[in-house]
Amino acid sequence: MQKVTLQVNGMSCGHCVNSVEGAVKNVGASAKVDLAANSVSVSFDESKVSLEAIKAAIEDQGYDVV
């Protein structure tokens, strides 16, 4: 299991948290959003999902992974 913290711009509310955490869950990983730090802590199995797929899922929700 790999853990990564991503900086994500554009999140500001509970809806943003739900959107990002839901998108990450849908690709087979888990996420915890920290709105104050503009960050998302992601845990995933590299053999099942790539970091690029997780980033794409977040960006598909309208947020910028930096």
Side-chain angles (χ1 to χ4, degrees), residues 30-51:
S30 64
K32 179 71 176 141
V33 172
D34 182 344
L35 283 178
N38 289 323
S39 68
V40 180
S41 298
V42 181
S43 297
F44 62 102
D45 183 341
E46 295 172 283
S47 68
K48 295 182 180 177
V49 64
S50 69
L51 183 57

Side-chain angles (χ1 to χ4, degrees), residues 6 8-11 13-27 29-35 39-42 54 57-59 61-65:
L6 304 171
V8 179
N9 291 334
M11 302 182 300
C13 64
H15 173 74
C16 299
V17 171
N18 292 336
S19 293
V20 170
E21 290 180 353
V24 172
K25 183 177 181 181
N26 286 340
V27 296
S30 64
K32 179 71 176 141
V33 172
D34 182 344
L35 283 178
S39 68
V40 180
S41 298
V42 181
I54 294 167
I58 294 170
E59 290 175 344
Q61 296 300 309
Y63 306 102
D64 295 319
V65 179

